[in-house]
Amino acid sequence: MRRPHIRRHRLAVAIAVTTAATLMAGVAGTASAITAAPPAAAPAPLSSSTGLQKIVDTARAAAYTHASATGVGKKDTLKAVDTLIDRDGSQHVRFIRTHRGLPVLGGDLVVHLTAKSAYESVTRAYRHQVAVATTDPKLSAGQAEAKAAAVAKGDAGEAELVVDARDDRTTLAYQVQVADSRTAEAGGARTVVIDAETGTVLSNVPANDSFLSPALQEKLRKRGERLNPSTRLIAPNPPATGKPAKTAGFPAAANGTGSSFFVGSVPLSTTQTAKNAFTLKDSTRGNTETRDAGDKELEKFSSGKAFTSTNNRWGNGTTSDRATAAVDAQYGITSTLDFYKKTFGRKGIKNDGRGARALVHFGKKIGNAFWSSDCGCMLYGDGDGNTFAKPLVVLDVTGHELTHGVVDATARLQPTRVDAEGNQFGEPGSLNESLADIFGSAVEFSTNNPKNPPNYLMGEKLGLQQKFLRRLDKPSLDKLEGTVDYWSKESFDTEVHAGSGVSSHAYYLLAEGSGKKVIGGVSYDSPTHDGSKVTGIGRDKATAIFYQALTRYMVSTTDFHDARTATLRAAKDLYGTGSTEYKTVDKAWAAVNVTAANAPSAKH
């Protein structure tokens, strides 16, 4: 998939104030979102973008005033990418940074203000001072592009000069997006960072997040295991009314029905474009749309072919109708959007009011599903015909992958390293995968479709021999990826899907508690590292705490001990430090061996 330009920071999110408005000077080219903190409570009202701008300006000034804590220097510039106001009026402004005019990798931070806009604290990525002696590289842009193309085995785009402040370094570097990489599945892109002085490769990361890791795919092939997701015999679709919800002319919202692979007959909100013409686009959810990639690795969503119908009925429950995969994809996306909106007031993946998009039938013989940050959409292959027999358009897969989009729009959690095959390692990446599993599971519970019963299992409909891909109650039951139950020093460099078990287990214990339990017909038996008993606070509260932590207190480098601190702060925000909820957060993390006592003294 050719993307000629490098992957840049995406800054567009929405302003949810009394009247929508565009931010002016200081955050030009960006927007911010004010989101109510769960449980349901309205954020502090603002009459216009002027009030929001004042908060951003105050937070920016505080970052410079409190430089010893924030690490912001005189040669740094801060750009706000998100602003949130809690029910008590507390304010949180997320910034990305430039240094001497150059984007800083690992320079993100969140400034926290009180309800009276006084500086309270900061959450920041790498804590060392950002400073480079010169912005004149020894390596030319052309040399960096050639090196990146050779490493990622693809076509290099334009090299961009940046400051790499990740790990313990502050290095002048080039960032290069490499398209059509032969080291990435489906010919995807990779982002390569090259030391501008020595030519050393500092990082080489896939641009798209894939549901199945390269290591897992290889293991399944060696085992000869064939993923053949179970589908149900589906009764014919009931007649669709085809009537627009509004009769003021076309286009107009209409109510259709779809026959899916996995969830039976489902209602679909579509767009009526003429008397007997409908498009699979949901105008009631920000123009969420699924298109047909035509078995090609398309560069952009707009190149896909729109799904159309004359009777507003879609798919037939089998692969003989190309619209069947689109039904599952569209249903999964709208279910995920509905979950985030009704649970957190989040309007779209980026909280900008826009819907999400998907391309089905992406590429030839691709057995995976992806979240593409560059496209801002889901990509679904049809399966490779061998190990993967059907498209991975399953509800929890979609919820998982779209949550990567939410993480990308907020904390932007990054792996600490990536190997040549594209496998990712390190705690921030593990936490990213864990959050995708946590909220992917929550999407199932929120949707509560009887043909896709909600549970704490991930990928249970994929047809794996072990009956699931991962699970939250006792992650180590996943033998395919070797997922772990508890934190250890090895977590610093564990493959991210395997490492995700630490925080996923903590979430489950927070929600449901330890020991045996049957939920929705599924038996769980969650252990603890120290043999302690944990009594859960309920799924709704646990989910609210983790979302509050993600959006307010996590940054690109957040590890498991940082996540413990983030969720404690979130529990304090929502329920108070003396609450059962706060105390249970502490117990749940201790039960997976994440405590204040064993927190590492330095980042690894």
Side-chain angles (χ1 to χ4, degrees):
M1 182 163 52
R2 184 176 299 277
R3 297 185 184 90
H5 300 293
I6 64 145
R7 181 186 185 193
R8 301 181 186 273
H9 292 290
R10 288 159 297 281
L11 306 177
V13 287
I15 307 174
V17 292
T18 305
T19 57
T22 303
L23 288 178
M24 302 302 171
V27 282
T30 77
S32 297
I34 301 173
T35 303
L46 289 175
S47 59
S48 69
S49 62
T50 303
L52 181 61
Q53 181 66 60
K54 184 177 180 181
I55 292 172
V56 170
D57 291 343
T58 301
R60 182 183 289 107
Y64 288 100
T65 301
H66 298 273
S68 60
T70 65
V72 176
K74 294 181 180 179
K75 296 181 180 180
D76 294 343
T77 302
L78 299 180
K79 181 173 287 189
V81 294
D82 207 6
T83 302
L84 301 107
I85 302 178
D86 292 342
R87 55 181 178 173
D88 67 352
S90 299
Q91 302 150 19
H92 313 267
V93 184
R94 187 179 296 273
F95 292 105
I96 59 171
R97 178 187 335 204
T98 61
H99 177 72
R100 299 181 66 177
L102 302 178
V104 178
L105 308 182
D108 52 307
L109 65 153
V110 184
V111 175
H112 310 290
L113 306 176
T114 67
K116 295 183 178 180
S117 295
Y119 173 80
E120 184 175 46
S121 62
V122 65
T123 303
R124 54 185 285 201
Y126 298 100
R127 300 194 63 83
H128 58 274
Q129 196 73 26
V130 176
V132 290
T134 179
T135 58
D136 294 325
K138 290 186 178 179
L139 207 68
S140 71
Q143 288 173 315
E145 291 161 8
K147 182 67 174 285
V151 169
K153 300 179 181 179
D155 302 326
E158 177 187 352
E160 179 186 36
L161 206 57
V162 299
V163 175
D164 189 347
R166 298 172 297 176
D167 296 332
D168 292 324
R169 59 178 175 258
T170 303
T171 305
L172 188 66
Y174 285 105
Q175 183 171 254
V176 187
Q177 181 98 336
V178 179
D180 300 325
S181 171
R182 294 187 296 280
T183 64
E185 188 177 8
R190 294 179 79 95
T191 301
V192 183
V193 178
I194 306 286
D195 190 312
E197 180 175 356
T198 66
T200 302
V201 177
L202 301 177
S203 63
N204 179 7
V205 181
N208 295 343
D209 180 273
S210 60
F211 184 70
L212 301 171
S213 68
L216 175 60
Q217 290 176 304
E218 182 63 22
K219 181 176 287 188
L220 289 169
R221 292 186 183 104
K222 287 181 177 179
R223 288 163 58 119
E225 193 165 335
R226 180 177 173 83
L227 275 72
N228 192 10
S230 58
T231 55
R232 298 174 182 270
L233 292 175
I234 301 171
N237 275 326
T241 64
K243 295 180 179 179
K246 299 178 181 179
T247 57
F250 304 124
N255 300 313
T257 57
S259 285
S260 71
F261 282 128
F262 301 109
V263 288
S265 296
V266 294
L268 294 172
S269 177
T270 62
T271 298
Q272 187 169 10
T273 57
K275 182 177 181 180
N276 295 308
F278 302 88
T279 301
L280 194 56
K281 177 190 289 188
D282 188 345
S283 62
T284 69
R285 294 178 177 88
N287 288 324
T288 289
E289 183 178 7
T290 299
R291 291 189 178 185
D292 190 339
D295 306 316
K296 299 176 182 178
E297 296 172 17
L298 297 180
E299 297 179 12
K300 50 189 177 181
F301 175 80
S302 59
S303 299
K305 181 181 179 181
F307 281 98
T308 59
S309 169
T310 59
N311 58 12
N312 213 7
R313 293 195 290 269
W314 310 84
N316 64 5
T318 74
T319 56
S320 66
D321 189 335
R322 294 181 72 85
T324 299
V327 170
D328 278 286
Q330 186 81 352
Y331 177 77
I333 292 172
T334 56
S335 296
T336 302
L337 294 175
D338 287 351
F339 158 72
Y340 277 106
K341 184 176 181 180
K342 73 181 182 182
T343 309
F344 307 119
R346 188 175 188 88
K347 298 177 181 179
I349 299 305
K350 295 182 179 181
N351 206 14
D352 59 359
R354 297 180 182 179
R357 304 175 299 185
L359 289 169
V360 293
H361 309 301
F362 180 82
K364 292 183 179 179
K365 295 188 175 181
I366 294 174
N368 217 333
F370 311 84
W371 165 255
S372 170
S373 295
D374 289 338
C375 171
C377 59
M378 287 292 302
L379 309 174
Y380 298 94
D382 282 335
D384 61 5
N386 185 15
T387 305
F388 310 96
K390 290 189 179 73
L392 271 67
V393 285
V394 184
L395 178 60
D396 58 5
V397 172
T398 297
H400 171 105
E401 289 300 319
L402 287 178
T403 296
H404 281 306
V406 174
V407 173
D408 191 58
T410 54
R412 295 183 60 81
L413 292 157
Q414 300 292 314
T416 54
R417 74 176 179 93
V418 181
D419 68 15
E421 286 72 41
N423 296 294
Q424 303 182 24
F425 299 83
E427 291 189 23
S430 294
L431 183 59
N432 194 337
E433 289 300 327
S434 171
L435 291 167
D437 281 354
I438 288 167
F439 291 114
S441 172
V443 168
E444 279 194 348
F445 278 104
S446 176
T447 305
N448 198 25
N449 187 308
K451 292 184 173 64
N452 194 135
N455 51 56
Y456 290 103
L457 312 178
M458 290 302 298
E460 73 275 9
K461 295 178 76 71
L462 296 182
L464 290 162
Q465 290 178 8
Q466 71 177 20
K467 307 301 182 185
F468 56 87
L469 179 57
R470 288 182 297 277
R471 58 190 298 157
L472 279 62
D473 64 316
K474 188 176 181 182
S476 62
L477 291 175
D478 164 29
K479 304 302 180 184
L480 278 171
E481 295 177 304
T483 309
V484 299
D485 292 332
Y486 312 117
W487 179 84
S488 68
K489 290 182 179 180
E490 285 70 34
S491 299
F492 295 130
D493 197 44
T494 298
E495 193 277 328
V496 295
H497 297 87
S500 69
V502 175
S503 44
S504 292
H505 192 190
Y507 166 83
Y508 176 87
L509 289 167
L510 178 62
E512 302 291 352
S514 57
K516 295 182 179 180
K517 181 176 284 193
V518 177
I519 306 169
V522 178
S523 296
Y524 303 95
D525 189 2
S526 191
T528 60
H529 180 264
D530 55 2
S532 62
K533 180 181 178 181
V534 179
T535 300
I537 62 173
R539 183 175 56 255
D540 291 347
K541 289 182 177 180
T543 305
I545 288 170
F546 268 71
Y547 180 80
Q548 178 89 355
L550 166 64
T551 53
R552 275 79 169 169
Y553 301 114
M554 292 184 184
V555 289
S556 60
T557 59
T558 298
D559 61 20
F560 291 132
H561 285 82
D562 295 332
R564 170 185 174 273
T565 301
T567 50
L568 283 169
R569 293 191 69 175
K572 175 185 176 182
D573 291 348
L574 299 175
Y575 307 106
T577 54
S579 65
T580 297
E581 292 82 1
Y582 183 92
K583 295 174 182 177
T584 307
V585 169
D586 194 34
K587 290 178 182 178
W589 282 108
V592 299
N593 197 34
V594 177
T595 67
N598 65 14
S601 57
K603 298 294 181 185
H604 291 253

